[in-house]
């Protein structure tokens, strides 16, 4: 160490030490959890931490449509499940199947028992290679990143100060910078509340949580064919869960004036073969028409339910589940 200091100089040596400390902090789950109100990856860590702790009997998996479209409390009421039954919403905005597979695998490694029932909300954007919120380097399995040829994200999973620079640039936004500074000194819950308090569910509100640019990108993803790598990850996730003893249910969260590309009645298209392939791997489609027609006032934006719509749909999902679930012991 002394030889290194003499060679590069004391100032450069201290700069290197500080960089290593910063890099080590980025590898720490506690750092992600501390900034759960600032970065999407931090909120994902908040959900993972409490999912592992609460040991859910029912787990909802998906992207933002799941996040604010499935109310665990309304589902439990619709299914007439007891209060001790733990339902948890693991919807991660902007996540695809590569991320979801990695998150579920890490949860099982952390000691979460395989849930009795897992609901996967199918959505076209789950099948696109997109990582604008910076999940890959934190949650995707490194073997998957290597096999998918995502070598930049794989490198970033080791050197996170480089990988996470895109998220850190978001601190140029005054609102995010303010939350970052406040979270450095005080505990701040994510927008919509902590996963511990809400069971992972974030109530949608008029105006939504997404910008117009994000909505345009999401809608563009609905017109793109599925990425074969992302399709493979969902197949692997379903097989992993069914081997572990979970019953896997496939659903689609309603959207405003647009039908899902999935389900027995979906129109033919590039996603038509995915549902039969998932059912061949042990999953099953669960149709849950809302108890009443959903109105414009039930949507936060064209692609996401608000709290009113989520409660209607979640109650109907619980009722459909109760009609088809095996008797409880």
């Amino acid at each position: 160490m002394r030889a290194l200091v003499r060679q590069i100089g004391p100032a450069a040596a201290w700069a290197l030490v500080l960089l290593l400390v910063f890099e080590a902090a980025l590898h720490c789950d506690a750092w992600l959890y501390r900034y759960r109100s600032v970065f999407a990856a931090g909120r994902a860590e908040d959900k993972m931490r409490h999912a592992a702790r609460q040991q859910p009997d029912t787990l909802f998996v998906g992207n933002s449509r799941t996040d604010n479209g499935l109310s665990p409390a309304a589902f439990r009421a619709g299914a007439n499940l007891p209060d001790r039954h733990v339902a948890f919403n693991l919807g991660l905005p902007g996540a695809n199947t590569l991320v979801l597979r990695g998150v579920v695998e890490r949860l099982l490694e952390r000691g979460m028992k395989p849930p009795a029932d897992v609901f996967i909300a199918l959505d076209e954007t789950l099948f696109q290679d997109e990582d604008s919120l910076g999940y890959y380097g934190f949650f995707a399995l490194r073997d998957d990143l290597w096999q998918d040829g995502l070598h930049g994200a794989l490198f970033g999973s080791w050197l996170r100060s480089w990988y996470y620079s895109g998220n850190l640039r978001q601190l140029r936004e005054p609102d995010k910078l303010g939350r970052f500074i406040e979270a450095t000194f005080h505990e701040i819950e994510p927008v919509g509340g902590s996963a511990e308090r809400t069971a992972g569910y974030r109530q949608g509100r008029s105006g939504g949580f997404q910008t117009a640019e994000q909505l345009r990108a999401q809608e563009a993803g609905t017109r793109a064919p599925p990425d074969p790598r992302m399709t493979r990850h969902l197949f692997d996730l379903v097989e992993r869960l069914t081997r572990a003893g979970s019953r896997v249910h496939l659903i689609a969260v309603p959207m405003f004036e647009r039908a899902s590309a999935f389900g027995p009645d979906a129109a033919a298209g590039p996603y038509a073969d995915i549902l039969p392939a998932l059912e061949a791997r042990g999953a099953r489609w669960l149709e849950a028409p809302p108890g009443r027609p959903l109105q414009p006032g039930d949507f936060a934006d064209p692609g996401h339910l608000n709290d009113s719509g989520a409660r209607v749909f979640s109650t109907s999902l619980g009722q459909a589940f109760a009609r088809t679930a095996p008797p409880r012991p």
Side-chain angles (χ1 to χ4, degrees), residues 42-55:
R43 183 165 179 261
E45 172 61 27
D46 180 41
K47 287 200 174 195
M48 291 174 64
R49 180 171 297 204
H50 293 294
R53 181 178 301 168
Q54 294 179 14
Q55 297 291 341

Side-chain angles (χ1 to χ4, degrees), residues 11-175:
W14 274 111
L16 179 60
V17 169
L18 291 175
L19 180 61
L20 291 174
V21 170
F22 181 65
E23 177 66 23
L26 293 180
H27 282 263
C28 179
D29 293 339
W31 186 91
L32 273 181
Y33 183 71
R34 162 65 67 172
Y35 294 103
R36 59 196 181 276
S37 64
V38 184
F39 303 116
R43 183 165 179 261
E45 172 61 27
D46 180 41
K47 287 200 174 195
M48 291 174 64
R49 180 171 297 204
H50 293 294
R53 181 178 301 168
Q54 294 179 14
Q55 297 291 341
D57 303 292
T58 297
L59 187 68
F60 302 117
V61 176
N63 58 16
S64 58
R65 300 196 208 281
T66 301
D67 186 32
N68 61 338
L70 286 164
S71 164
F75 170 83
R76 195 169 58 240
N80 196 28
L81 295 168
D83 290 341
R84 66 177 182 275
H85 184 101
V86 178
F88 193 88
N89 185 322
L90 194 65
L92 302 178
N96 57 19
T97 60
L98 169 63
V99 174
L100 295 179
R101 168 170 151 77
V103 165
V104 171
E105 193 65 47
R106 290 172 191 274
L107 277 172
L108 295 173
E109 291 174 356
R110 290 186 185 187
M112 184 187 76
K113 295 181 292 187
D117 293 278
V118 177
F119 290 79
I120 300 177
L122 298 180
D123 184 83
E124 297 96 320
T125 56
L126 287 179
F127 298 89
Q128 306 305 316
D129 173 21
E130 200 276 334
D131 190 35
S132 61
L133 294 181
Y135 289 130
Y136 283 9
F138 288 103
F139 304 120
L141 301 180
R142 289 191 173 109
D143 286 347
D144 288 343
L145 292 173
W146 174 258
Q147 293 175 17
D148 288 357
L150 299 171
H151 300 139
L154 176 61
F155 177 71
S157 72
W158 294 105
L159 188 64
R160 287 183 173 173
S161 55
W162 172 81
Y163 170 76
Y164 213 51
S165 60
N167 285 283
L168 294 175
R169 281 197 295 271
Q170 296 175 17
L171 298 181
R172 291 178 296 185
E173 301 173 19
D175 181 53

